[in-house]
Amino acid sequence: MTQHHHDDRPADAPVKKPRHKKFQTQSYGERMAAQAEAAGPSTGEVRDDTARGERRGGPSQYSDRGVRGYANDRRDNRPVKGYRAAEPRTDRRPANRDDRPQYNRDERPQYNRDDRPQYNRDERPQYGDRARTDRGERNQYGDRPQNNRNDRNDRNDRPQYDRGDRPSFNRDERPQYDRTERPQYRRDDRPRFERDERPRVDRDERPRFDRDERPRYDRAGDRQSSYQRRDRDDRSSYQQNKRVEEPVDLGTVAADNQFAALGLAPRLVQRLARDGITSPFPIQTATIPDALAGKDVLGRGQTGSGKTLGFGLPTLTRLAGGKTESRRPRGMILVPTRELAMQVHDALEPLAHVMNVSLKLIAGGLPYPKQIESLRRGVDLLIATPGRLIDLCEQGAADLGAVEIAVLDEADHMCDMGFMPAVTTLLDMTPAEGQRLLFSATLDNDVDTIVKTYLKDPVQHSTESGQASVSTMEHHMLVIEPGHKQSLTAELASRDGRTIVFVRTKLGADRVATQLRDRGVMAAALHGGLTQGMRNRTLDQFKDGSVPVLVATDVAARGIHVDDVGLVVQADPPAEHKDYLHRAGRTARAGGKGAVVTLVLPHQRRGMMRMAESAGVKAEPVRARPGDELVTELTGGSKPSGYPVKLPAPKPQRFNKGGGKRFGSSRPGRGHDGRGGSGPRRSNGPRRTDGNRYEGGKSYQH
DNA sequence: AAAAAAC
């Protein structure tokens, strides 16, 4: 049956919203409004509530129509307001209902079903059968719909409907639809569905709850984004208040395991060791002991150096064993984007599990009910984006009064102008004596305000200089002509392997992604203007390889980890040096290799050089044109095909939140043939009809 | 200055 993607909807479920003034005197919205007012008169759009309200309140179209449209249906003779009363009719007797013979049902011959020969299915003429199409001749029922239809649109005359020419619609040739070849869909092959053979029926005796250990059927074929899965199995709340009595054997830990030496719980160390994580990164070695000791910590470690575990492990250790009341979580990790929240959640979940710490993702774009329910049952640790958490606090669904540990991931970003009010709102709700951990790759003086207000005797650990010190990363700065930007971007992105292209604006992301696809490079846009369902889908496709090029705004600049991103292209230069470092940090993670290419227009050159210096990036600006040797070197020589390609999944219908059927997340890489034309297609804007896609010279900067 | 973050 059709899958209903309830999850893609914005949570519109009825949510009662008693506003608890307990935590603050102003609501978040009021605060923001006040802030906006303080910032001066808005030059942007003005909400036109008045106009809308007037139209609604007055003689609306709806009520108007209710009277006019159905005036004839009125059973009484009261004059309709606004209409001239009809002249009394004299040409016939007033109808006496009972006397009207034609209303006797049984005598109406044409409704005798058995007399209608053409309802015999087998004998109905087929489409294209002209014998049936005597133009204009009515059948005995007085209608002739099929005649004209067939005359005009005889299917056999329409070449484009010839089934044989549409390979993609030929069911037999679509390999992925061959049921017998999809082992993961065969029930018999799924070992854990053999009821009789399941050794453990007693839930408490199940030796392990760990996700990773469970035999899996292949979920990749499941075509659900991680976001949808996440919402479906709400394991964290299910687990609530169940404490494992006996330690589970998680494997042995080597005597020289250095995590153990840091003072972490043995179970945690064992769990890490099972994933092959036995030696801590420098940032972890530096911060974990202090964090475990309950100190406030400022942690700075280069991108991809394991900061998540740096604050995650001590947080879990300290929360373990405690008791959490309903709606009163004891730990809170704030992150700047929803994707990052999901990533942190997923990274900590197995670890939280062995520690019997429950955790819940609290982020916008996801349905409210499960988040509220989870909080009601009591959840130890929240991983949250600020807006939704404030919302839930205002509703009374969450109470931060019991938060023992508050973590700010990407702390410097959380302290910039846009985020600061929300973050202080949340921190204000937490007890002043609670522990605070601030982490970022670029932890600088921007956090001073927060540090002074909310941290007590913080310990600062900087394992790196806060500059570009990832030695496995190479930087290139290409000074280009504006007219070459599109083709150079396409050349760079057409390489094998994953590439992220950063642009400045949401619109730019959409535009560049489209341009790349027009040139034959499979690319998808990621930015905050998309529905959350689409954001998840796009990131999933980037991760599974079906879309190797991600065109993103700075929503993806921080924290997001995808394996093997070999190249970061900055099609628009970053706004400041910290952004450079974070964008660049999407590649060369955890010791891997990677390159960063920044496209610089002549007028941006000076600023870019300054920025590079602040970032500690050593790169000489080099003039470059499409086809240059340097570009070829960076891309391994592959060129864009020039033939437009289409995304493997239907594009998001922004207005239709359902999402619909999705194909493609399991479709291999760039295998799409890229021909245009057939199939039901969403059109998301005007389709290009001009032939010169490439040499227009329109630059998408600016 | 844009993006992000609630509905």
Side-chain angles (χ1 to χ4, degrees):
Chain A
M1 293 306 276
T2 7
Q3 277 194 356
H4 296 278
H5 295 262
H6 297 291
D7 303 332
D8 275 354
R9 290 177 317 183
D12 54 0
V15 174
K16 60 176 176 180
K17 203 169 176 179
R19 178 166 290 167
H20 285 215
K21 293 286 183 183
K22 187 171 172 185
F23 308 113
Q24 55 184 88
T25 50
Q26 275 181 313
S27 77
Y28 179 54
E30 287 160 352
R31 267 177 98 114
M32 289 309 176
Q35 188 195 353
E37 195 174 341
S42 165
T43 52
E45 307 169 67
V46 177
R47 283 179 54 185
D48 196 359
D49 287 334
T50 329
R52 203 168 156 202
E54 274 171 8
R55 196 189 301 152
R56 282 256 170 100
S60 71
Q61 291 179 326
Y62 179 77
S63 61
D64 242 11
R65 181 191 168 135
V67 172
R68 251 175 222 153
Y70 302 103
N72 291 334
D73 287 346
R74 290 167 65 101
R75 299 293 153 92
D76 60 16
N77 291 322
R78 284 188 289 111
V80 174
K81 195 175 180 183
Y83 283 80
R84 244 179 335 144
E87 295 293 324
R89 297 189 63 150
T90 54
D91 55 343
R92 72 173 186 199
R93 237 176 8 145
N96 178 340
R97 283 182 168 258
D98 300 332
D99 284 344
R100 288 179 297 181
Q102 69 276 31
Y103 280 85
N104 185 333
R105 287 188 163 250
D106 300 335
E107 290 181 10
R108 289 182 297 178
Q110 68 275 37
Y111 281 87
N112 186 334
R113 292 188 159 250
D114 299 334
D115 286 351
R116 293 180 297 178
Q118 66 278 47
Y119 277 82
N120 182 334
R121 288 191 160 248
D122 300 334
E123 290 180 20
R124 283 187 304 178
Q126 297 304 302
Y127 281 122
D129 183 348
R130 304 238 173 200
R132 190 178 171 230
T133 63
D134 302 346
R135 183 189 287 276
E137 188 176 296
R138 289 167 191 267
N139 62 20
Q140 62 174 302
Y141 303 109
D143 54 9
R144 46 178 179 184
Q146 65 277 53
N147 295 349
N148 288 338
R149 189 167 65 221
N150 281 340
D151 264 0
R152 275 199 309 271
N153 285 331
D154 187 304
R155 289 194 165 229
N156 297 323
D157 290 345
R158 290 182 296 178
Q160 71 274 33
Y161 279 84
D162 188 331
R163 291 188 160 249
D165 283 338
R166 294 182 302 172
S168 59
F169 279 79
N170 187 337
R171 290 194 155 246
D172 301 334
E173 286 181 21
R174 289 185 297 179
Q176 68 272 39
Y177 280 86
D178 186 346
R179 291 189 161 249
T180 57
E181 286 185 19
R182 292 185 301 176
Q184 69 274 36
Y185 279 87
R186 295 193 52 165
R187 293 196 149 242
D188 300 341
D189 289 349
R190 292 183 297 181
R192 66 192 184 119
F193 279 83
E194 290 288 343
R195 290 197 155 244
D196 301 337
E197 290 183 352
R198 285 188 301 180
R200 42 204 148 81
V201 178
D202 183 357
R203 288 188 161 250
D204 298 331
E205 287 188 22
R206 288 186 297 180
R208 42 172 192 255
F209 281 84
D210 272 293
R211 291 185 154 231
D212 302 341
E213 291 288 310
R214 291 178 307 167
R216 290 165 181 253
Y217 55 93
D218 183 2
R219 287 207 160 187
D222 208 351
R223 308 235 204 303
Q224 295 206 15
S225 69
S226 59
Y227 147 70
Q228 285 167 320
R229 285 199 298 276
R230 172 174 300 105
D231 189 66
R232 194 184 55 207
D233 45 22
D234 190 7
R235 233 163 281 246
S236 51
S237 51
Y238 167 75
Q239 288 280 323
Q240 188 54 29
N241 297 329
K242 282 193 184 177
R243 303 293 178 202
V244 172
E245 299 296 331
E246 297 175 26
V248 176
D249 180 18
L250 290 164
T252 52
V253 176
D256 61 345
N257 187 310
Q258 295 162 59
F259 275 109
L262 296 175
L264 294 168
R267 300 176 53 78
L268 214 44
V269 179
Q270 287 170 327
R271 184 63 184 79
L272 289 166
R274 217 174 59 195
D275 286 345
I277 305 173
T278 52
S279 49
F281 285 138
I283 183 68
Q284 297 159 355
T285 313
T287 59
I288 287 176
D290 278 332
L292 280 176
K295 295 180 185 168
D296 288 353
V297 174
L298 299 172
R300 180 170 69 195
Q302 62 194 82
T303 53
S305 68
K307 288 187 291 296
T308 304
L309 290 184
F311 59 73
L313 297 176
T315 301
L316 293 173
T317 304
R318 283 177 60 78
L319 291 179
K323 181 152 169 44
T324 298
E325 299 166 43
S326 174
R327 297 187 180 86
R328 289 170 64 81
R330 293 181 297 126
M332 160 177 98
I333 298 171
L334 295 182
V335 296
T337 65
R338 298 170 184 173
E339 282 74 15
L340 191 50
M342 293 177 195
Q343 182 179 299
V344 171
H345 175 273
D346 290 352
L348 296 186
E349 187 180 39
L351 301 166
H353 189 83
V354 298
M355 299 301 288
N356 263 303
V357 170
S358 59
L359 72 172
K360 183 67 184 171
L361 174 67
I362 302 288
L366 299 162
Y368 279 90
K370 296 201 173 179
Q371 296 180 4
I372 292 172
E373 173 61 12
S374 192
L375 284 160
R376 191 192 61 74
R377 286 194 223 180
V379 60
D380 301 319
L381 176 61
L382 306 182
I383 293 102
T385 50
R388 177 61 69 88
L389 185 53
I390 289 173
D391 189 350
L392 292 175
C393 288
E394 287 180 359
Q395 289 186 37
D399 175 353
L400 302 183
V403 170
E404 301 159 17
I405 306 179
V407 181
L408 298 189
D409 194 8
E410 307 296 346
D412 60 310
H413 192 214
M414 302 294 273
C415 292
D416 80 15
M417 284 208 329
F419 270 114
M420 185 74 118
V423 172
T424 55
T425 299
L426 288 167
L427 287 176
D428 283 340
M429 297 186 210
T430 64
E433 66 274 16
Q435 181 181 5
R436 273 87 189 234
L437 310 177
L438 271 56
F439 278 73
S440 181
T442 52
L443 202 62
D444 56 14
N445 295 338
D446 287 5
V447 298
D448 276 357
T449 325
I450 294 273
V451 171
K452 282 183 187 131
T453 317
Y454 297 98
L455 272 67
K456 197 167 60 182
D457 304 328
V459 188
Q460 179 159 347
H461 292 287
S462 301
T463 58
E464 303 291 341
S465 62
Q467 299 199 325
S469 46
V470 182
S471 53
T472 51
M473 194 188 291
E474 54 180 72
H475 301 265
H476 301 274
M477 226 162 281
L478 307 187
V479 180
I480 62 164
E481 293 170 30
H484 290 155
K485 197 182 236 188
Q486 280 190 36
S487 50
L488 263 169
T489 306
E491 261 183 49
L492 289 165
S494 73
R495 58 186 283 280
D496 289 328
R498 292 197 184 88
T499 306
I500 301 184
V501 178
F502 280 107
V503 295
R504 194 176 58 94
T505 65
K506 292 184 268 202
L507 201 64
D510 282 333
R511 190 167 46 214
V512 173
T514 307
Q515 285 165 359
L516 288 175
R517 286 198 300 273
D518 281 350
R519 290 164 183 260
V521 180
M522 183 63 80
L526 181 73
H527 58 74
L530 302 169
T531 63
Q532 192 56 41
M534 192 51 195
R535 283 167 70 167
N536 288 314
R537 194 146 50 221
T538 300
L539 198 55
D540 282 351
Q541 288 172 340
F542 184 58
K543 284 177 178 169
D544 74 22
S546 55
V547 175
V549 178
L550 190 69
V551 185
T553 61
D554 280 332
V555 69
R558 285 172 178 256
I560 300 302
H561 177 97
V562 179
D563 287 332
D564 301 324
V565 175
L567 176 66
V568 166
V569 177
Q570 307 200 68
D572 295 327
E576 54 160 334
H577 78 273
K578 290 199 291 184
D579 295 335
Y580 185 105
L581 293 171
H582 285 284
R583 286 171 163 196
R586 297 316 100 205
T587 186
R589 292 181 73 79
K593 282 177 66 176
V596 184
V597 176
T598 308
L599 303 184
V600 188
L601 298 175
H603 75 273
Q604 296 167 330
R605 189 182 145 154
R606 271 176 157 276
M608 193 57 226
M609 293 317 294
R610 253 204 320 273
M611 207 184 304
E613 190 174 344
S614 316
V617 172
K618 290 171 190 64
E620 286 303 311
V622 179
R623 294 179 65 94
R625 304 171 66 84
D628 275 1
E629 197 179 327
L630 173 59
V631 179
T632 316
E633 200 177 299
L634 282 164
T635 61
S638 63
K639 298 252 188 209
S641 71
Y643 295 102
V645 291
K646 295 194 168 183
L647 283 171
K651 217 162 167 185
Q653 287 144 20
R654 284 200 201 182
F655 306 108
N656 171 12
K657 311 273 174 52
K661 274 191 189 170
R662 303 215 322 276
F663 305 100
S665 60
S666 68
R667 197 176 280 193
R670 305 178 178 201
H672 213 57
D673 61 19
R675 283 183 317 126
S678 70
R681 213 63 199 174
R682 88 304 161 193
S683 90
N684 202 8
R687 201 182 277 238
R688 300 196 71 120
T689 48
D690 53 347
N692 57 344
R693 280 183 298 269
Y694 314 142
E695 304 310 328
K698 265 191 232 162
S699 155
Y700 44 70
Q701 49 82 37
H702 210 88

